[in-house]
Amino acid sequence: DAGITQSPRHKVTETGTPVTLRCHQTENHRYMYWYRQDPGHGLRLIHYSYGVKDTDKGEVSDGYSVSRSKTEDFLLTLESATSSQTSVYFCAISELGLVSTDTQYFGPGTRLTVL
Amino acid sequence: GQQVMQIPQYQHVQEGEDFTTYCNSSTTLSNIQWYKQRPGGHPVFLIQLVKSGEVKKQKRLTFQFGEAKKNSSLHITATQTTDVGTYFCAGLGYGNKLVFGAGTILRVKS
């Protein structure tokens, strides 16, 4: 498995509270992604990064922000969590990015429950 | 926007039976990737198809990319209990966005 860790692995929080999820990689890959996985929807891209301080929105970016201050770390923040953001969140990395025939390596996931 | 539809949503087979999942896109795809996710695990890359009509095999798994590059299939011959999981296709289409299908959940009864 690629060197990707996510923290925390599980979190329960209340509506309206801020939440930050962390993704850390040891592969020195340029591209990093945040997905959410919900039953019946597969994996949906929230935000991605193509370099330090370079990020862009994905398919379901509303209510989420990201930051990447170092190559190895990609943070996902829910400024004010809502129950609709209860999901499993996966971080992924790739070497060449979406413009190439590249593969993505996924982290172990974070299960977030918003009460 | 671009959509990738995957069918069936769920399939329960007897061990030794064959299994097929289909992936259809509303637009032409540059390539298509297949991932497998074991229960409680994370998606793991299986294979990528790029060429029109391409067929690739990995032991009991056969992957096909349609001639029009808008559909793909994954066929498993003689399923085993180790094949249990969710199989996702993901297509790279317009705007270089990778779009995942909803996945097919495979259960194998021994």
Side-chain angles (χ1 to χ4, degrees), chain B:
Chain B
Q2 179 187 2
Q3 289 188 334
V4 175
M5 308 300 293
Q6 199 170 347
I7 56 171
Q9 184 177 5
Y10 179 86
Q11 188 149 10
H12 194 171
V13 300
Q14 191 75 30
E15 187 174 21
E17 293 182 340
D18 292 356
F19 160 78
T20 304
T21 174
Y22 300 90
C23 186
N24 295 288
S25 171
S26 56
T27 60
T28 301
L29 302 170
S30 301
N31 64 42
I32 193 143
Q33 300 177 358
W34 286 92
Y35 292 79
K36 176 184 178 181
Q37 183 178 23
R38 295 184 184 275
H42 59 275
V44 175
F45 174 80
L46 292 177
I47 207 163
Q48 178 167 259
L49 305 173
V50 179
K51 299 177 182 177
S52 170
E54 189 171 12
V55 178
K56 286 188 177 181
K57 293 188 176 183
Q58 288 181 348
K59 297 183 180 178
R60 295 178 294 102
L61 278 61
T62 301
F63 304 83
Q64 293 187 326
F65 201 9
E67 294 289 342
K69 301 184 75 174
K70 296 179 75 172
N71 59 76
S72 180
S73 65
L74 158 59
H75 180 81
I76 301 178
T77 303
T79 55
Q80 300 175 358
T81 55
T82 54
D83 295 325
V84 164
T86 302
Y87 292 84
F88 293 98
C89 62
L92 187 64
Y94 179 78
N96 290 323
K97 299 297 183 185
L98 189 65
V99 180
F100 282 81
T104 295
I105 300 171
L106 172 64
R107 293 289 177 258
V108 179
K109 184 178 180 181
S110 60

Side-chain angles (χ1 to χ4, degrees), chain A residues 42-100:
Chain A
L43 292 148
R44 292 181 292 175
L45 182 65
I46 304 171
H47 282 279
Y48 67 98
S49 170
Y50 47 96
V52 173
K53 297 187 179 180
D54 292 323
T55 64
D56 203 354
K57 295 179 179 179
E59 178 187 359
V60 289
S61 60
D62 288 348
Y64 302 95
S65 63
V66 291
S67 66
R68 192 168 178 200
S69 58
K70 297 184 292 184
T71 299
E72 57 266 35
D73 290 325
F74 193 31
L75 303 180
L76 176 70
T77 297
L78 291 66
E79 299 290 347
S80 179
T82 67
S83 58
S84 64
Q85 293 176 312
T86 292
S87 186
V88 179
Y89 291 86
F90 285 101
C91 173
I93 65 173
S94 70
E95 188 173 6
L96 302 175
L98 295 174
V99 297
S100 180

